[in-house]
Amino acid sequence: MIVVALLVIAIVFCGIWWSGALWYRLPVGPYGRYAAIAGWLLLSLGTIIVLLRGDWRPLLLYAAVFVGLSLWWTTIRPSNDREWADDVGRMLSAEINGNSVTLHNVRNFEWRTETDYTPRWETRRYDLATLTSVDMVLSYWGRPAIAHTLVSFGFADGQFVVFSVEIRKEKTESFSEIGGFFKEFETSIVAADERDIVRLRPNVRGEDTYIYRIRMSKEAARSLFLAYAEAANALTQRPRFYNTITANCTTIVYEMVNRIVPGLPMDYRLVLSGYLPEYIHDVGGLDTNTSVAELRIRGRITERAIAADKSPDFSNAIRANVPGIPVPTTAITDGNR
């Protein structure tokens, strides 16, 4: 009976998972997908009923269909050649020459609304010898457990560049957490100006956004920057599917940081990324003299970003009063002119 119970559980799980796979990836219209899912669920249900009656023969048919689905799944490959949405239309690439890194296709859009924008793609050079800071930006759009993770690198000349691991959606697609389980999206690494990618979140999309200064040695910060650059170069050669759990904006950051600080513990907060500040604080990556609650309160930049909307000093304005971030002597914000 234990074997039968385990088989029933496995068939139920597979019935749900493959139904999602058929819905999101079967290249037919909606009625064709409905029919395929109905057929699969009827086969799964029928197999369970007969198994409970003690007849194992239907498992042969079920196994044959399962193998066929698995073979079909392996034929679905990621690609860099699709009709991409404008904001992920170009791929980031990097030329690395010692401390000098030239990034091609740095995004610097001027966003008015999500559908009204002026696209700009730029080539920028960064001197890693002048790298001075690493900040984590978290943006929430609904549930407190889920946030998008961005990492911003600051330089002595006042430049900031933000890296973001995102879905690479096509023109006709929109983000779907469920679709992210079923090879619906490729992975994109975006490098962008803060006035593009950070401002976009609270000012245009209405998301609640927070910034935290990361405690990291200069060498570790340099290695993390290079890890992003190398990962972006790798994607230009070998595209990769985004996965809501195993290859999302937070888990990929973990993979890169773990190369620099080996042995970082795995944690549920790497999936429930809204709680990432607690995890980073626990491993010593945030100001340990300040509680997470205080870091969250003082790190909230939503109103500051909206107030500094058009300010050329946007990056300094959003960092005002954030623990661990020194006040620039030349900072000018809309509130203290």
Side-chain angles (χ1 to χ4, degrees):
M1 285 299 296
I2 294 177
V3 174
V4 172
L6 291 174
L7 280 172
V8 168
I9 292 171
I11 291 171
V12 169
F13 174 81
C14 289
I16 296 170
W17 195 91
W18 280 111
S19 293
L22 289 167
W23 177 255
Y24 281 98
R25 299 304 296 165
L26 194 65
V28 296
Y31 292 112
R33 294 197 294 270
Y34 285 136
I37 292 169
W40 169 247
L41 291 178
L42 285 173
L43 173 63
S44 300
L45 179 61
T47 303
I48 289 172
I49 291 172
V50 177
L51 268 179
L52 292 175
R53 292 175 178 173
D55 188 349
W56 293 68
R57 288 174 297 176
L59 276 178
L60 293 174
L61 175 60
Y62 181 88
V65 175
F66 183 91
V67 170
L69 286 172
S70 299
L71 291 173
W72 162 68
W73 193 246
T74 63
T75 66
I76 302 174
R77 305 280 187 175
S79 172
N80 286 331
D81 185 20
R82 306 190 195 279
E83 291 293 324
W84 303 111
D86 290 342
D87 59 330
V88 288
R90 299 190 186 184
M91 297 192 73
L92 174 68
S93 64
E95 295 178 35
I96 303 169
N97 185 16
N99 281 324
S100 177
V101 179
T102 300
L103 296 182
H104 300 283
N105 294 323
V106 176
R107 203 180 74 195
N108 189 19
F109 281 28
E110 181 183 346
W111 296 93
R112 290 173 289 275
T113 70
E114 286 199 76
T115 57
D116 180 16
Y117 48 82
T118 301
R120 287 193 297 262
W121 297 94
E122 301 173 352
T123 295
R124 297 186 178 184
R125 190 185 71 81
Y126 301 94
D127 182 0
L128 299 186
T130 67
L131 181 58
T132 58
S133 65
V134 179
D135 296 316
M136 177 177 70
V137 179
L138 292 181
S139 194
Y140 300 75
W141 59 91
R143 290 160 292 180
I146 303 298
H148 184 71
T149 306
L150 307 96
V151 178
S152 180
F153 293 86
F155 294 83
D157 61 0
Q159 285 193 91
F160 291 91
V161 63
V162 183
F163 288 98
S164 175
V165 178
E166 304 188 359
I167 65 168
R168 196 174 191 203
K169 60 184 182 294
E170 298 174 52
K171 287 183 179 293
T172 57
E173 292 178 330
S174 58
F175 177 69
S176 165
E177 292 174 353
I178 297 175
F181 287 101
F182 299 110
K183 297 184 178 181
E184 185 175 17
F185 310 110
E186 278 80 3
T187 297
S188 175
I189 294 181
V190 175
D193 191 286
E194 286 195 335
R195 284 167 295 188
D196 171 330
I197 203 165
V198 176
R199 177 183 166 275
L200 170 67
R201 302 278 167 174
N203 297 38
V204 177
R205 294 181 178 172
E207 298 178 7
D208 200 21
T209 309
Y210 299 75
I211 193 167
Y212 303 88
R213 175 56 50 93
I214 302 297
R215 299 174 64 206
M216 181 178 283
S217 70
K218 188 168 183 177
E219 185 55 37
R222 179 182 184 277
S223 295
L224 181 57
F225 188 103
L226 290 174
Y228 270 111
E230 291 164 0
N233 283 342
L235 285 176
T236 65
Q237 301 299 318
R238 180 177 292 182
R240 177 179 180 181
F241 280 120
Y242 181 94
N243 185 281
T244 301
I245 296 294
T246 63
N248 61 38
C249 62
T250 304
T251 55
I252 291 176
V253 173
Y254 170 82
E255 290 175 13
M256 293 189 291
V257 175
N258 195 47
R259 292 170 46 187
I260 303 159
V261 187
L264 284 177
M266 291 298 295
D267 195 283
Y268 74 93
R269 291 167 292 189
L270 293 168
V271 176
L272 300 179
S273 51
Y275 305 127
L276 195 58
E278 285 82 356
Y279 172 80
I280 301 296
H281 191 272
D282 287 349
V283 299
L286 298 180
D287 183 351
T288 53
N289 295 318
T290 307
S291 69
V292 174
E294 182 70 12
L295 289 170
R296 196 180 293 275
I297 291 170
R298 293 172 61 186
R300 187 170 185 265
I301 66 171
T302 305
E303 284 79 16
R304 293 199 292 270
I306 293 171
D309 185 54
K310 301 294 185 181
S311 172
D313 202 39
F314 179 86
S315 292
N316 284 324
I318 62 175
R319 288 172 169 79
N321 200 39
V322 175
I325 300 180
V327 178
T329 57
T330 59
I332 300 174
T333 68
D334 289 350
N336 62 12
R337 284 183 178 176

